[in-house]
Amino acid sequence: MKNLKKAGLAFTLMISCLCSAAVTVLFLTYVGRTARIRVENQYTEPDYVRYIGQGYAFDTVSDKTNLLLTVTDGDLPVRVHIMTVDTDKNTLDILDIPPDSFIIADGFTGTVREAYSTPVYREIISRALCLNIDGCMSLDNESAGGVGKLLGLNISYEKGKRIASGGFAYSKGDEDSVFEYHEYLAKILDKIYGLGPAETFTKLMNLIANRFDTDMTVEKMLNALSGLCEVKPKKMNIRIARGCPAKFGDGLIWCLDPVLVAEQLNEYFRVKDTVYLPEALGIPKTAAGGYPFGDLKEKVSDII
């Protein structure tokens, strides 16, 4: 009898494993590939990973969806965005975070670019901004450059890739380069609104299936795209995380201003009545400098 029970348990476990494997294979076939595992040879688990494991998070009851979108050149991020869709107000706010932004988060100190090489990139950004992140996506600069062409913009793949790759423009204070990228992004968003979710997904399906790294299910991606398509360009905004360029060693970094970034997050990226003070953010206090992009428009309908 005991042997029969053991055999039955083994058979049940085998069937369960086979079912799980089948579901996994189907998902990977549709999406194309799983998120990359970015693990360093030596890594000490920071405190906030334990906090998350214990149920600590920045969840609030909200109609806002916060997505972390990263464009890479090789293994390094060149564009980093928090994209916040408010399905109640039908608004989209994009926080354009310079990859050279210097942040701290319980056990991590460095730039956003350096955070990307850790296995807890999403958690570091979430903790530094005190903002819940609902999904994480990344794609390479070649794919980002091809999005405009696929959606019908009059732009070559080569030009689109060059525009998407200019992630050092922020710390260099290169306003023309930053504007060129925001214009490209604004035209893409305007096109997505005009096409609608079904046609947009059809045009980008092959790219999404084969070139996106994501921790989101297909259903979540479709829901996010559907919510985005409901937002009119005049209610879309691209906002650079406020700060200034600064020398650091032999290079340049982007020094975020904790007061100004806190104001941006509280006003546009958090739900009503949810406020985090500057000192709660993972942004060190530094000597203030002049913000170099004050002349750039933020509303998508004005940019295009």
Coordinates of all heavy atoms in Angstrom, one line a residue, residues 36 38 70 72 74-77 108 111-119 121 124 138-139 213:
R36 N 16.5 38.6 -19.5 CA 17.8 38.2 -19.2 C 18.1 38.1 -17.8 O 17.6 38.8 -17.0 CB 18.8 39.2 -19.9 CG 18.8 39.3 -21.3 CD 19.5 40.4 -21.8 NE 19.0 41.7 -21.3 CZ 19.7 42.8 -21.2 NH1 21.0 42.8 -21.5 NH2 19.1 43.9 -20.7
R38 N 20.7 38.9 -15.2 CA 21.9 39.7 -15.1 C 22.5 39.5 -13.7 O 22.1 40.2 -12.7 CB 21.5 41.2 -15.3 CG 20.9 41.5 -16.7 CD 20.5 42.9 -16.8 NE 19.3 43.2 -16.1 CZ 18.1 43.2 -16.6 NH1 17.9 42.8 -17.8 NH2 17.0 43.5 -15.9
T70 N 13.4 50.2 -20.7 CA 14.8 50.5 -20.8 C 15.3 50.2 -22.2 O 14.9 49.1 -22.8 CB 15.7 49.6 -19.8 OG1 15.2 49.9 -18.5 CG2 17.1 50.0 -19.9
T72 N 18.6 49.6 -24.5 CA 20.0 49.2 -24.3 C 20.9 49.3 -25.6 O 20.4 49.2 -26.7 CB 20.2 47.8 -23.7 OG1 19.7 46.9 -24.7 CG2 19.4 47.6 -22.5
G74 N 24.0 47.2 -26.4 CA 24.8 46.1 -25.9 C 24.2 45.8 -24.5 O 23.0 45.5 -24.4
D75 N 25.1 45.8 -23.5 CA 24.6 45.5 -22.1 C 24.4 46.7 -21.3 O 24.1 46.6 -20.1 CB 25.6 44.6 -21.4 CG 25.7 43.2 -22.0 OD1 24.7 42.7 -22.5 OD2 26.9 42.6 -22.1
L76 N 24.4 47.9 -21.9 CA 24.3 49.1 -21.1 C 23.0 49.9 -21.5 O 22.7 50.0 -22.7 CB 25.5 50.0 -21.3 CG 26.9 49.5 -20.8 CD1 28.0 50.4 -21.2 CD2 26.8 49.3 -19.3
P77 N 22.3 50.4 -20.6 CA 21.1 51.2 -20.9 C 21.5 52.6 -21.4 O 22.4 53.2 -20.9 CB 20.4 51.3 -19.5 CG 21.5 51.2 -18.5 CD 22.5 50.3 -19.1
F108 N 23.0 49.5 -2.5 CA 23.5 49.9 -3.8 C 23.8 51.4 -3.9 O 23.0 52.2 -3.4 CB 22.5 49.6 -4.9 CG 22.9 50.1 -6.3 CD1 23.7 49.3 -7.1 CD2 22.5 51.3 -6.7 CE1 24.2 49.8 -8.3 CE2 22.9 51.8 -8.0 CZ 23.7 51.1 -8.8
T111 N 25.3 54.6 -10.5 CA 24.4 55.2 -11.5 C 23.3 54.2 -11.9 O 23.5 53.0 -11.6 CB 25.2 55.6 -12.7 OG1 25.8 54.4 -13.4 CG2 26.3 56.6 -12.4
V112 N 22.3 54.7 -12.5 CA 21.3 53.8 -13.1 C 21.9 52.8 -14.0 O 21.5 51.6 -14.1 CB 20.1 54.6 -13.7 CG1 19.2 53.8 -14.5 CG2 19.4 55.5 -12.7
R113 N 22.8 53.3 -14.8 CA 23.5 52.4 -15.8 C 24.2 51.2 -15.1 O 24.1 50.1 -15.5 CB 24.5 53.2 -16.6 CG 25.3 52.4 -17.6 CD 26.2 53.2 -18.5 NE 25.4 53.9 -19.5 CZ 25.2 55.2 -19.6 NH1 25.7 56.0 -18.6 NH2 24.5 55.8 -20.6
E114 N 24.8 51.5 -13.9 CA 25.4 50.4 -13.1 C 24.4 49.5 -12.5 O 24.6 48.3 -12.4 CB 26.3 51.0 -12.1 CG 27.6 51.7 -12.7 CD 28.3 52.6 -11.7 OE1 27.7 53.1 -10.8 OE2 29.5 52.8 -11.9
A115 N 23.3 50.1 -12.1 CA 22.2 49.3 -11.5 C 21.6 48.2 -12.4 O 21.2 47.2 -12.0 CB 21.1 50.2 -11.0
Y116 N 21.7 48.6 -13.7 CA 21.1 47.7 -14.7 C 21.8 46.3 -14.8 O 21.3 45.3 -15.1 CB 21.1 48.4 -16.1 CG 20.5 47.6 -17.2 CD1 19.1 47.5 -17.3 CD2 21.2 46.9 -18.1 CE1 18.4 46.8 -18.3 CE2 20.6 46.1 -19.1 CZ 19.2 46.1 -19.2 OH 18.6 45.4 -20.2
S117 N 23.1 46.3 -14.4 CA 23.9 45.1 -14.5 C 23.7 44.2 -13.3 O 24.2 43.1 -13.2 CB 25.4 45.5 -14.6 OG 25.9 46.1 -13.4
T118 N 22.9 44.6 -12.3 CA 22.6 43.8 -11.2 C 21.3 43.0 -11.4 O 20.5 43.3 -12.3 CB 22.4 44.7 -9.9 OG1 21.1 45.3 -10.0 CG2 23.5 45.7 -9.8
P119 N 21.1 41.9 -10.6 CA 19.8 41.1 -10.8 C 18.6 41.8 -10.2 O 17.5 41.2 -10.3 CB 20.2 39.8 -10.1 CG 21.2 40.2 -9.1 CD 22.0 41.3 -9.7
Y121 N 17.7 45.2 -10.7 CA 17.6 46.5 -11.3 C 16.2 47.1 -11.0 O 16.1 48.3 -10.6 CB 17.8 46.3 -12.8 CG 17.5 47.5 -13.7 CD1 18.1 48.7 -13.5 CD2 16.5 47.4 -14.7 CE1 17.8 49.8 -14.3 CE2 16.3 48.4 -15.5 CZ 16.9 49.7 -15.4 OH 16.6 50.7 -16.2
I124 N 15.9 48.3 -7.4 CA 16.7 49.4 -7.1 C 16.0 50.7 -7.6 O 15.9 51.7 -6.8 CB 18.1 49.3 -7.8 CG1 18.9 48.2 -7.1 CG2 18.8 50.7 -7.7 CD1 20.2 48.0 -7.8
S138 N 12.6 45.7 -21.6 CA 13.8 46.3 -22.2 C 13.9 45.8 -23.7 O 13.4 44.7 -24.0 CB 15.0 45.9 -21.4 OG 15.3 44.6 -21.5
L139 N 14.5 46.6 -24.5 CA 14.8 46.3 -25.9 C 16.1 47.0 -26.3 O 16.5 48.0 -25.7 CB 13.7 46.7 -26.8 CG 13.4 48.1 -27.1 CD1 12.5 48.3 -28.3 CD2 12.7 48.8 -25.9
D213 N 12.7 42.0 -23.9 CA 12.8 41.2 -22.6 C 11.8 41.8 -21.6 O 11.7 43.0 -21.5 CB 14.2 41.4 -22.0 CG 15.3 40.6 -22.8 OD1 14.9 39.6 -23.4 OD2 16.5 41.0 -22.8

